[in-house]
Amino acid sequence: MEMLQRLERRLEKQLRSFVFWKSNSTLSPGDGVVGAARQNGELARRFQTPEEIAQGASPVHGSTSAGANEIDTGISGLTVSLREVSSTVDRREQTNDYGLLIWKIDNFRRRKNEALGVFRPAVYSPIFYSRQGYKMGAYVYLNGDVVGRNEYLSPFFFLMKGEHDALLDFPFHLRVKFTLMDQVSFSRNLSDSFDPDPTLMAFQRPTSPRNFSFGFPRFVRQSVVETRTYLKDDCIILRISVESD
């Protein structure tokens, strides 16, 4: 958010610096002029010098409307850049890149009741990345899966086919840690971790959108999960970390 706020402040300052003036126009010389254009992908602004103002020179080429169009183009470029950064910041806040995902699962009771059915729907996390560039995700069965059915919270981790796979080492070898966060005292977090088995298909380079998963069918008992230490405002928080080399 700090990066977004800095860019917003910068945009505000730059927009304030756009002062309009054109010789023989209805605007007065005291208003000044800045022409704006996109050059080499960056905003180039041509300011008037005091000498140019005194000589009645126009700092933008072409007609007044052309100058206005250039200014509009510059402002539009800044706006697009702001939106792009905003989108990136929002995405990073959701996924907490660099090997760490703080995953808030809301509507716990409703989701768990839905998991009582035959199909046992899982809840999927946002995508996140390790520092090296591995693309990853997770899902959890709130009512347990396989041997943990009806008794445990069962989270699983999986690799995804990513943009940087050709540059990465496989089999995947980084330790993965799941933590159920204590939302009251923050001192009784419950964790378990695993080191990838290099012989399993789950940790080979993905050839499909995502690999088989690996995780903990018996992570934490539901009777523990549903205490107010871990279930607050009908939400639980899972922390998934991937340790760097």
Side-chain angles (χ1 to χ4, degrees):
M1 286 302 300
E2 290 183 2
M3 178 171 64
L4 178 57
Q5 291 170 350
R6 287 198 299 270
L7 187 57
E8 287 176 336
R9 289 194 294 269
R10 178 184 170 193
L11 175 60
E12 182 180 359
K13 289 179 180 179
Q14 289 180 325
L15 291 179
R16 286 178 177 175
S17 70
F18 282 95
V19 192
F20 302 93
W21 174 78
K22 174 74 178 179
S23 61
N24 300 321
S25 74
T26 59
L27 302 178
S28 66
D31 291 327
V33 171
V34 176
R38 296 287 290 180
Q39 295 181 358
N40 299 324
E42 295 184 356
L43 182 68
R45 297 186 294 138
R46 299 189 293 277
F47 291 94
Q48 273 188 294
T49 64
E51 290 78 13
E52 289 174 326
I53 293 176
Q55 295 171 7
S58 172
V60 290
H61 302 290
S63 66
T64 303
S65 60
N69 288 338
E70 286 186 341
I71 292 170
D72 288 341
T73 300
I75 295 174
S76 297
L78 281 173
T79 304
V80 169
S81 297
L82 180 61
R83 283 201 300 266
E84 290 173 349
V85 172
S86 176
S87 175
T88 300
V89 170
D90 289 343
R91 188 166 57 251
R92 289 192 173 184
E93 285 183 342
Q94 289 176 357
T95 61
N96 263 329
D97 290 357
Y98 307 120
L100 175 65
L101 173 66
I102 306 297
W103 181 19
K104 183 177 182 179
I105 303 173
D106 58 7
N107 299 312
F108 178 86
R109 292 181 177 84
R110 176 181 62 78
R111 292 173 186 263
K112 184 185 174 185
N113 287 335
E114 291 173 351
L116 295 174
V118 177
F119 297 105
R120 305 192 309 277
V123 181
Y124 281 79
S125 77
I127 295 167
F128 66 115
Y129 291 81
S130 73
R131 289 185 179 277
Q132 295 81 359
Y134 292 103
K135 186 177 182 180
M136 307 168 292
Y139 61 85
V140 60
Y141 289 105
L142 301 180
N143 197 46
D145 184 56
V146 194
V147 296
R149 180 76 170 156
N150 298 322
E151 294 184 30
Y152 288 85
L153 186 75
S154 304
F156 294 87
F157 166 90
F158 56 85
L159 287 176
M160 302 184 70
K161 191 173 185 178
E163 301 86 347
H164 312 296
D165 288 354
L167 305 175
L168 301 175
D169 293 328
F170 287 95
F172 178 80
H173 60 283
L174 304 177
R175 175 173 293 179
V176 178
K177 183 178 181 180
F178 284 92
T179 301
L180 178 64
M181 304 298 292
D182 172 1
Q183 298 189 64
V184 177
S185 66
F186 309 104
S187 62
R188 293 186 291 176
N189 298 334
L190 301 176
S191 301
D192 205 349
S193 62
F194 66 81
D195 292 309
D197 181 343
T199 66
L200 295 180
M201 289 299 298
F203 305 115
Q204 308 306 312
R205 179 175 176 177
T207 56
S208 58
R210 73 175 180 89
N211 279 2
F212 293 112
S213 60
F214 192 90
F216 301 102
R218 294 176 172 172
F219 180 53
V220 178
R221 284 190 176 274
Q222 292 179 19
S223 58
V224 175
V225 174
E226 295 183 26
T227 62
R228 61 181 182 178
T229 300
Y230 304 102
L231 180 62
K232 184 176 181 180
D233 297 328
D234 203 28
C235 298
I236 63 170
I237 299 176
L238 282 176
R239 182 182 189 271
I240 307 172
S241 58
V242 176
E243 297 183 3
S244 300
D245 292 323

